[in-house]
Amino acid sequence: MGTPAKAWPPLSPFQTGTRGRCPRCGQGHIFNGFLALRRECEVCGLDYSYADPADGPAFFVICFACVPSVVLALWIEARFAAPFWVHLVTSLPFMLLTCIPPLRPLKGWLVASQYFYKAGESRLKSGVSSPS
Ligand SMILES: [Zn+2]
């Protein structure tokens, strides 16, 4: 379960996350499958229960991959009045290739960023009186 006294140097969330590596040690793995997260790092024991990227990876894919895919399909349709089968061999593979592969590195990057920036839900501190 790692050495508690060991200081972990900060690692770039982009470098560790996009490769699916643990954001603390950079050696262990984040994923247990294509997009499923492990419960903890097998090298340093970091608990991944903090990780909750939610729809973040899908949001980035929609913004930066789906839109070009739709634009390509519309352009092919408008320019060539292409039959349906042309879209099956052009638009569909382009959409799948631009939408599926980025999900894993994006999710890893977001999980690593959550660890690096200590992001989480805000909590009210006890003993602080409400302003009302
Ligand atoms: Zn680790």
Side-chain angles (χ1 to χ4, degrees), residues 105-120:
L106 278 171
K107 186 170 182 175
W109 174 52
L110 291 174
V111 168
S113 294
Q114 277 187 299
Y115 173 80
F116 188 81
Y117 295 108
K118 298 172 177 51

Side-chain angles (χ1 to χ4, degrees), residues 30 37-38 47-57 106-115 119-121:
I30 294 176
L37 292 175
R38 288 173 174 266
D47 184 4
Y48 291 144
S49 62
Y50 72 87
D52 182 22
D55 293 334
L106 278 171
K107 186 170 182 175
W109 174 52
L110 291 174
V111 168
S113 294
Q114 277 187 299
Y115 173 80
E121 291 182 33

Side-chain angles (χ1 to χ4, degrees), residues 22 24-28 41 43-46 48:
C22 170
R24 183 163 72 177
C25 67
Q27 302 297 315
C41 174
V43 174
C44 71
L46 175 64
Y48 291 144

